[in-house]
Amino acid sequence: MRVLLAEDDDGVAGALTEALYDNGHLPTHVRRGEDVLARHRQADLLLLDLGLPDLDGLEVLRKLRAVSALPVVVLTARGDERSVVRGLRLGADDYLVKPVRLAELLARIEAVTRRATAPAAPAPRTVRVADVEVDLDARRVTVGGAEVRLTAKEFEVLAALAARAGTAVSRQQLMDEVWGDAFLAVSRSLDVHLTQVRAKLGRPEVLTTIRGFGYRFGD
């Protein structure tokens, strides 16, 4: 499993990295919250310390949960009830207070991962809204039976919305999925690509802008 370890204490990080590696995982150590937000898509699980030098770990967790369901285990010295409750309410899958026994940490990681990888119903790979059809596997879009040519990025933006047809998708989620980073991507790029997609589809009603949040494909 690819484990992203966010820890500002190099001594603690070194010991955890070695233990994770010895138990078959592939750990990557980062010291800053911004690095977590930039690299979370390359991990299967995040071990998150709350005392990071640039962003509070709870703020990192809040921003991460706006774009990702990545399993998160908080591993911190903050053991007060308020921090524990906030961490769990913000979306942590588990919360451990240092010092923690290695066997328990590994067991918690295994349990969180097992829950996260439980089989789900397969998502439809062809999505139809009105007379607009998006084939996610063939990367083909047709309107009224006629194929519409989209650039690679235009298709990725439309596909990210079509995969969640009828559901509001935030701007951060779209930028994270298409550009790989919800918080460093240029927001203007998303606007330009969506404008192009709308023009090429010729069906402005199928792409709804939700003011202050994001977009929805279909009703």
Side-chain angles (χ1 to χ4, degrees), residues 7-217:
E7 170 62 65
D8 69 330
D9 186 317
D10 290 336
V12 172
L16 286 173
T17 296
E18 184 177 347
L20 290 166
Y21 185 81
D22 287 345
N23 283 272
H25 301 298
L26 297 174
T28 298
H29 173 219
V30 297
R31 302 184 77 256
R32 302 168 65 251
E34 290 291 350
D35 294 329
V36 173
L37 299 175
R39 302 178 66 174
H40 70 88
R41 292 174 66 85
Q42 302 164 23
D44 302 310
L45 180 136
L46 169 64
L47 277 180
L48 177 64
D49 182 28
L50 299 185
L52 301 177
D54 60 334
L55 291 173
D56 184 84
L58 292 175
E59 178 64 9
V60 173
L61 180 58
R62 185 188 67 80
K63 289 186 173 184
L64 181 66
R65 277 295 173 257
V67 299
S68 174
L70 178 72
V72 176
V73 175
V74 171
L75 183 59
T76 180
R78 294 186 204 171
D80 60 284
E81 183 179 4
R82 182 171 181 271
S83 293
V84 175
V85 170
R86 284 194 66 202
L88 294 173
R89 285 181 173 172
L90 284 171
D93 296 275
D94 208 339
Y95 194 110
L96 296 174
V97 179
K98 299 174 184 175
V100 63
R101 290 170 296 185
L102 177 59
E104 180 182 359
L105 173 61
L106 293 171
R108 297 289 189 101
I109 288 175
E110 182 181 337
V112 166
T113 306
R114 188 166 55 245
R115 292 197 299 268
T117 56
R125 300 303 298 172
T126 299
V127 181
R128 187 178 182 89
V129 173
D131 64 345
V132 178
E133 188 171 285
V134 183
D135 188 327
L136 299 173
D137 292 322
R139 296 178 67 87
R140 181 181 296 118
V141 179
T142 58
V143 178
E147 186 166 352
V148 175
R149 298 289 183 180
L150 300 181
T151 67
K153 270 289 188 283
E154 288 167 357
F155 180 83
E156 288 168 16
V157 170
L158 179 59
L161 291 166
R164 305 170 179 83
T167 301
V169 181
S170 72
R171 291 178 63 86
Q172 286 85 358
Q173 284 176 299
L174 283 174
M175 289 189 291
D176 185 69
E177 186 162 328
V178 177
W179 280 273
D181 195 308
F183 300 95
L184 299 180
V186 179
S187 178
R188 180 63 181 154
S189 296
L190 176 59
D191 297 330
V192 171
H193 283 83
L194 276 166
T195 298
Q196 289 295 105
V197 170
R198 279 194 171 106
K200 290 183 178 182
L201 294 181
R203 301 288 190 274
E205 69 278 4
V206 304
L207 275 175
T208 303
T209 299
I210 302 171
R211 187 178 297 275
F213 181 77
Y215 306 90
R216 183 180 67 240
F217 180 66

